Amino acid sequence: MTQVVNDGTPEMRGLLDKGRKRLRNVGVIMLILGVLAVAFPLATTIAFKTIIGWLFIIGALGHFYGAWNADTPTRRSVDVIQGIIFGVIGGWLAFFPLAGIVTLTVLLAIAFILQGLLEIVMASRLSQFPGWKWMLFSGGVAILAGVLIFAELPSSASWAIGLLLGINLLSSGFSYLMVSVAMGKVSRL
């Protein structure tokens, strides 16, 4: 693959600087969230589950709004049924924080594995930048985290979501910072 070269034009320097700043900011935010998640894994697990529950509740409200504005009885019925399903799932996740953590842990393991695969693809697309291997490393860590969650079920459910989410955030945040540093070196050339 070809190496990105700063040709010295203001446009190229601006593009590199803009991308570097975005990666740096996202990296710092992810590092802060990662430290908090590792420090408080059970609280992170409950917060994560509650946030997902509220997203389902908001989705339920959207379906009820769609039913209110539906132009046919069939469409209205489908939206009401979907709204009820989303509302029940959202209420269960949001208002019963310790129920269903094992199921959510399995879903998180799958999400980590998928995120790891996507980061590996992203690393291959960033391979022209000197720090791309950090993104590749982060993808490997995310896949490993997903596999570890599966290996320790069901005993890991109470701490796994928070702890592994924190580790994943730390890994991703660090890799974003390293790519940002590498892009800064290219933009100064």
Side-chain angles (χ1 to χ4, degrees):
M1 298 231 168
T2 61
Q3 190 87 358
V4 168
V5 178
N6 183 358
D7 61 4
T9 62
E11 293 83 14
M12 176 58 92
R13 191 170 294 137
L15 285 172
L16 287 169
D17 197 43
K18 186 176 182 181
R20 181 183 62 80
K21 287 178 183 177
R22 283 184 183 166
L23 284 173
R24 182 197 63 217
N25 293 342
V26 169
V28 168
I29 291 168
M30 291 176 94
L31 283 172
I32 292 168
L33 292 174
V35 167
L36 291 173
V38 168
F40 306 104
L42 182 59
T44 302
T45 299
I46 292 170
F48 184 73
K49 185 174 179 279
T50 303
I51 289 170
I52 291 172
W54 278 103
L55 291 174
F56 270 97
I57 290 170
I58 292 168
L61 294 174
H63 282 293
F64 290 136
Y65 177 77
W68 181 265
N69 293 311
D71 52 356
T72 66
T74 303
R75 195 170 196 175
R76 183 173 290 121
S77 299
V78 168
D79 272 335
V80 167
I81 291 169
Q82 287 177 326
I84 291 169
I85 291 170
F86 272 57
V88 169
I89 291 170
W92 177 67
L93 290 171
F95 299 116
F96 299 101
L98 296 177
I101 289 180
V102 173
T103 303
L104 194 58
T105 304
V106 169
L107 292 174
L108 183 67
I110 292 168
F112 276 170
I113 292 169
L114 291 176
Q115 180 202 357
L117 293 172
L118 289 173
E119 282 189 352
I120 289 170
V121 169
M122 189 171 160
S124 70
R125 290 182 178 240
L126 291 173
S127 64
Q128 68 267 25
F129 293 103
W132 71 276
K133 291 178 185 173
W134 289 107
M135 190 70 65
L136 183 68
F137 175 75
S138 175
V141 168
I143 291 172
L144 181 62
V147 170
L148 287 174
I149 291 173
F150 276 123
E152 295 296 321
L153 281 173
S155 65
S156 64
S158 63
W159 56 264
I161 293 174
L163 182 65
L164 293 174
L165 181 62
I167 291 169
N168 190 31
L169 285 168
L170 287 170
S171 169
S172 294
F174 184 72
S175 72
Y176 285 28
L177 283 177
M178 291 298 101
V179 171
S180 170
V181 168
M183 287 176 77
K185 290 177 183 176
V186 170
S187 70
R188 286 189 292 268
L189 296 177

